[in-house]
Amino acid sequence: MLQINPKKFRHIRNKAIPSPLRPKFRNSKETNIYFLSKRKAEGEKKDLKNKRILFFISTILFIATIYYLTN
């Protein structure tokens, strides 16, 4: 049978578990997919916010011009 030798066991020195969700910081040449997708999502959110602001400003101006022309 298989014998276990207790002298061969090593104690774990670093018991901290590394977080797999934390991205590694690298050079710009070695860009990670995580950062590229994050930048794309932030850009899409910024574009959506700009479109909403433009829509609300244009509707307010449209309503103000109609009100001005009817009086």
Side-chain angles (χ1 to χ4, degrees):
M1 277 194 92
L2 185 63
Q3 295 285 330
I4 298 174
N5 189 358
K7 291 182 181 179
K8 289 186 176 180
F9 286 123
R10 294 182 186 172
H11 292 287
I12 299 173
R13 292 180 185 159
N14 186 5
K15 294 183 180 180
I17 299 172
S19 176
L21 299 176
R22 185 174 179 264
K24 295 181 180 179
F25 295 98
R26 299 179 180 157
N27 297 334
S28 61
K29 293 179 183 176
E30 301 173 1
T31 53
N32 195 351
I33 291 294
Y34 172 81
F35 291 113
L36 293 175
S37 63
K38 186 176 179 182
R39 189 182 318 144
K40 181 182 176 188
E42 288 175 356
E44 289 175 354
K45 287 181 183 178
K46 188 184 291 185
D47 291 342
L48 182 63
K49 186 177 177 182
N50 289 341
K51 286 180 183 179
R52 285 182 179 169
I53 290 172
L54 183 65
F55 175 74
F56 286 124
I57 290 173
S58 62
T59 53
I60 289 171
L61 288 174
F62 182 70
I63 292 171
T65 54
I66 290 175
Y67 178 76
Y68 179 72
L69 292 175
T70 56
N71 287 339

